[in-house]
Protein backbone atom coordinates (compact mmCIF):
# COMPACT_ATOMS: atom_id res chain seq x y z
CA UNK A 1 0.00 0.00 0.00
CA UNK A 2 1.41 3.36 -1.10
CA UNK A 3 0.70 6.07 1.48
CA UNK A 4 0.50 9.70 0.35
CA UNK A 5 0.77 12.77 2.55
CA UNK A 6 -0.04 16.38 1.69
CA UNK A 7 -0.46 19.62 3.62
CA UNK A 8 -2.50 22.78 3.30
CA UNK A 9 -4.84 25.30 4.90
CA UNK A 10 -7.77 24.64 2.54
CA UNK A 11 -9.49 27.85 3.63
CA UNK A 12 -12.67 28.77 1.72
CA UNK A 13 -12.50 25.35 0.09
CA UNK A 14 -12.51 25.59 -3.71
CA UNK A 15 -12.03 23.55 -6.90
CA UNK A 16 -8.22 24.04 -6.90
CA UNK A 17 -8.12 22.23 -3.55
CA UNK A 18 -10.37 19.43 -4.87
CA UNK A 19 -8.23 18.88 -7.96
CA UNK A 20 -5.00 18.86 -5.96
CA UNK A 21 -6.35 16.32 -3.44
CA UNK A 22 -7.83 14.06 -6.14
CA UNK A 23 -4.53 14.00 -8.04
CA UNK A 24 -2.61 13.44 -4.80
CA UNK A 25 -4.74 10.37 -4.06
CA UNK A 26 -4.05 9.01 -7.56
CA UNK A 27 -0.33 8.84 -6.63
CA UNK A 28 -1.11 5.91 -4.30
CA UNK A 29 -3.70 4.05 -2.24
CA UNK A 30 -4.19 6.04 0.95
CA UNK A 31 -4.24 9.85 1.35
CA UNK A 32 -3.35 11.58 4.60
CA UNK A 33 -3.90 15.35 4.81
CA UNK A 34 -2.26 17.70 7.30
CA UNK A 35 -4.55 20.71 7.75
CA UNK A 36 -2.76 23.86 8.96
CA UNK A 37 -3.75 25.20 12.37
CA UNK A 38 -5.14 28.77 12.49
CA UNK A 39 -1.86 29.94 14.06
CA UNK A 40 0.23 28.30 11.34
CA UNK A 41 -1.91 29.89 8.64
CA UNK A 42 -1.47 33.29 10.29
CA UNK A 43 2.29 32.83 10.29
CA UNK A 44 2.27 31.78 6.59
CA UNK A 45 -0.22 34.31 5.20
CA UNK A 46 -0.52 37.12 7.76
CA UNK A 47 -4.25 36.63 8.24
CA UNK A 48 -6.57 34.34 10.12
CA UNK A 49 -8.43 31.76 8.02
CA UNK A 50 -12.07 32.54 7.23
CA UNK A 51 -13.09 28.99 8.17
CA UNK A 52 -12.11 27.65 11.60
CA UNK A 53 -9.73 24.71 11.89
CA UNK A 54 -12.62 22.47 13.00
CA UNK A 55 -14.65 23.34 9.91
CA UNK A 56 -11.68 22.92 7.57
CA UNK A 57 -10.89 19.51 9.13
CA UNK A 58 -14.53 18.44 8.75
CA UNK A 59 -14.66 19.45 5.08
CA UNK A 60 -11.39 17.72 4.17
CA UNK A 61 -12.20 14.64 6.27
CA UNK A 62 -15.53 14.17 4.52
CA UNK A 63 -14.03 13.87 1.01
CA UNK A 64 -14.18 10.38 -0.49
CA UNK A 65 -10.60 10.60 -1.79
CA UNK A 66 -9.19 11.55 1.65
CA UNK A 67 -8.55 8.71 4.10
CA UNK A 68 -7.15 10.51 7.15
CA UNK A 69 -6.72 14.09 8.45
CA UNK A 70 -4.59 15.57 11.20
CA UNK A 71 -3.61 19.07 12.35
CA UNK A 72 -0.38 20.53 10.96
CA UNK A 73 0.92 22.73 13.78
CA UNK A 74 4.30 23.65 12.35
CA UNK A 75 6.11 23.74 9.00
CA UNK A 76 9.26 22.64 10.80
CA UNK A 77 7.65 19.39 11.99
CA UNK A 78 7.18 18.10 8.44
CA UNK A 79 9.88 15.42 8.73
CA UNK A 80 8.27 14.13 11.93
CA UNK A 81 4.79 14.07 10.31
CA UNK A 82 6.10 12.12 7.30
CA UNK A 83 7.80 9.57 9.56
CA UNK A 84 4.88 9.24 12.00
CA UNK A 85 2.35 8.68 9.22
CA UNK A 86 4.73 6.29 7.39
CA UNK A 87 4.11 8.22 4.17
CA UNK A 88 5.82 6.96 1.00
CA UNK A 89 5.13 10.10 -1.03
CA UNK A 90 4.84 13.80 -0.16
CA UNK A 91 2.65 15.68 -2.65
CA UNK A 92 2.44 19.49 -2.83
CA UNK A 93 1.25 22.07 -5.33
CA UNK A 94 3.98 23.58 -7.46
CA UNK A 95 3.80 26.90 -5.59
CA UNK A 96 6.03 24.98 -3.15
CA UNK A 97 8.40 23.57 -5.77
CA UNK A 98 11.85 22.79 -4.36
CA UNK A 99 10.83 23.74 -0.82
CA UNK A 100 10.47 20.17 0.40
CA UNK A 101 13.29 18.48 -1.53
CA UNK A 102 15.12 17.95 1.77
CA UNK A 103 12.68 15.08 2.52
CA UNK A 104 13.77 13.04 -0.51
CA UNK A 105 15.88 10.95 1.87
CA UNK A 106 12.73 9.56 3.57
CA UNK A 107 10.04 9.66 0.85
CA UNK A 108 9.33 10.56 -2.76
CA UNK A 109 8.52 14.24 -3.22
CA UNK A 110 6.07 15.18 -5.98
CA UNK A 111 4.95 18.70 -6.95
CA UNK A 112 1.71 18.91 -8.95
CA UNK A 113 0.73 21.89 -11.10
CA UNK A 114 -1.67 24.28 -9.39
CA UNK A 115 -5.09 24.89 -10.91
CA UNK A 116 -4.90 28.28 -12.63
CA UNK A 117 -7.19 31.25 -11.90
CA UNK A 118 -8.57 30.21 -8.52
CA UNK A 119 -7.33 31.06 -5.05
CA UNK A 120 -8.72 31.72 -1.59
CA UNK A 121 -7.23 35.23 -1.64
CA UNK A 122 -9.01 36.07 -4.91
CA UNK A 123 -12.32 34.68 -3.64
CA UNK A 124 -12.04 36.84 -0.51
CA UNK A 125 -11.32 39.91 -2.70
CA UNK A 126 -14.33 39.20 -4.94
CA UNK A 127 -16.64 38.81 -1.95
CA UNK A 128 -15.33 42.06 -0.42
CA UNK A 129 -16.31 43.90 -3.61
CA UNK A 130 -19.92 42.66 -3.42
CA UNK A 131 -21.91 45.31 -1.57
N1 LIG B 1 -3.73 24.54 -4.78
C1 LIG B 1 -3.83 24.23 -6.13
N2 LIG B 1 -4.43 25.10 -7.00
C2 LIG B 1 -4.91 26.29 -6.54
C3 LIG B 1 -4.83 26.60 -5.17
C4 LIG B 1 -4.22 25.70 -4.30
O1 LIG B 1 -3.38 23.14 -6.59
N3 LIG B 1 -5.48 27.12 -7.43
C5 LIG B 1 -3.05 23.58 -3.88
C6 LIG B 1 -1.80 24.17 -3.22
O2 LIG B 1 -0.70 24.11 -4.11
C7 LIG B 1 -1.63 23.27 -2.02
C8 LIG B 1 -3.10 22.88 -1.68
O3 LIG B 1 -3.89 23.22 -2.82
O4 LIG B 1 -0.92 22.09 -2.35
C9 LIG B 1 -3.61 23.66 -0.47
O5 LIG B 1 -3.48 25.03 -0.74
P1 LIG B 1 -3.38 26.07 0.47
O6 LIG B 1 -4.50 25.88 1.39
O7 LIG B 1 -3.14 27.43 -0.11
O8 LIG B 1 -2.08 25.51 1.18
P2 LIG B 1 -0.96 26.34 1.89
O9 LIG B 1 -1.60 27.33 2.81
O10 LIG B 1 0.00 26.79 0.86
O11 LIG B 1 -0.31 25.26 2.85
O12 LIG B 1 3.08 22.73 4.80
C10 LIG B 1 2.69 23.41 3.66
C11 LIG B 1 1.45 24.11 3.80
O13 LIG B 1 0.74 23.94 4.93
C12 LIG B 1 0.75 24.47 2.53
Amino acid sequence: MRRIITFGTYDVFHVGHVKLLKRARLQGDYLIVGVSSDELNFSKKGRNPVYSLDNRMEIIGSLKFVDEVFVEHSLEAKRQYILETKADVLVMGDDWVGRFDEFKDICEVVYLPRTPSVSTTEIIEVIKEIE
Side-chain angles (χ1 to χ4, degrees):
M1 159 130 84
R2 215 164 121 89
R3 293 165 68 85
I4 314 299
I5 191 167
T6 192
F7 297 88
T9 308
Y10 307 101
D11 190 26
V12 190
F13 190 66
H14 60 66
V15 72
H17 298 144
V18 172
K19 287 180 188 289
L20 189 286
L21 291 170
K22 273 188 181 168
R23 285 178 296 153
R25 177 64 173 72
L26 288 173
Q27 298 280 320
D29 312 292
Y30 191 88
L31 178 60
I32 305 154
V33 183
V35 178
S36 301
S37 66
D38 295 342
E39 295 74 20
L40 175 56
N41 185 67
F42 192 87
S43 74
K44 283 187 295 190
K45 306 200 174 164
R47 62 172 159 75
N48 285 316
V50 177
Y51 294 173
S52 68
L53 174 64
D54 282 356
N55 288 354
R56 290 181 289 112
M57 296 274 288
E58 187 163 348
I59 291 167
I60 302 301
S62 68
L63 300 170
K64 65 179 178 193
F65 37 86
V66 172
D67 299 290
E68 198 175 310
V69 283
F70 70 94
V71 182
E72 179 194 26
H73 289 286
S74 155
L75 290 180
E76 283 68 47
K78 203 156 261 100
R79 179 172 292 273
Q80 185 192 324
Y81 295 138
I82 294 168
L83 292 172
E84 276 173 7
T85 57
K86 298 184 169 43
D88 302 294
V89 188
L90 168 63
V91 171
M92 289 301 301
D94 62 3
D95 43 328
W96 292 89
V97 78
R99 298 274 297 277
F100 300 125
D101 286 357
E102 63 188 282
F103 305 120
K104 286 184 175 169
D105 59 333
I106 52 168
C107 65
E108 257 175 66
V109 180
V110 174
Y111 303 99
L112 297 176
R114 271 172 72 92
T115 301
S117 313
V118 57
S119 75
T120 299
T121 308
E122 258 177 55
I123 294 169
I124 293 171
E125 288 307 314
V126 169
I127 292 171
K128 269 189 198 162
E129 281 166 23
I130 299 171
E131 290 190 336

